[in-house]
Amino acid sequence: MADRRGTTIYLYELAWILPSFAIPVGMLVALVVTAFGAGVHLPGVEGRVDPTKVAESALFKTPGVVEIAPGQYEVRMTAQIWSFAPNEIRVPAGSTVHFWATSKDVVHGFLIPKHIVNLMLLPGQVAHAQVRFDTPGEYPIICHEYCGIAHHTMAGKVIVEARR
Ligand code: CUA
């Protein structure tokens, strides 16, 4: 006869076993819900552009801000040592801004700290972020990837103007 005591699950063991299943399952559910339900995902490659011909590409030949629909703005931005073009973007409060950006030379960063936008701008890759600006004010755009001697001067800003 086998000793049945060896397979007995005690209550305090159960108290450890159940959470060790429930916690990963809960995290997986949260991941699926946020990824597919709320559309939260890591910034990825949104397109490709020849890094030697950025200025001639359809997307980046005229960097700037364009109103694409009421309250919707598209920003086509290039990063180059050591500036963003455009480096000042003005939109009215309540606007959604669709940023499309790439680098003309080396790896740059694109950080809007107040809106948790954090992109890497890589030569040859197009990055995208969509941000809604509800509160009037100035929102700095910072290069946060070391890109050379004047890296610390590389910045731009979004100016959100109050609606009149
Ligand atoms: Cu561009 Cu640091």
Side-chain angles (χ1 to χ4, degrees), residues 82 107-109 143 145-147 151 154:
W82 288 282
V107 175
H108 295 282
C143 176
E145 295 283 344
Y146 183 72
C147 56
H151 155 71
M154 185 168 167

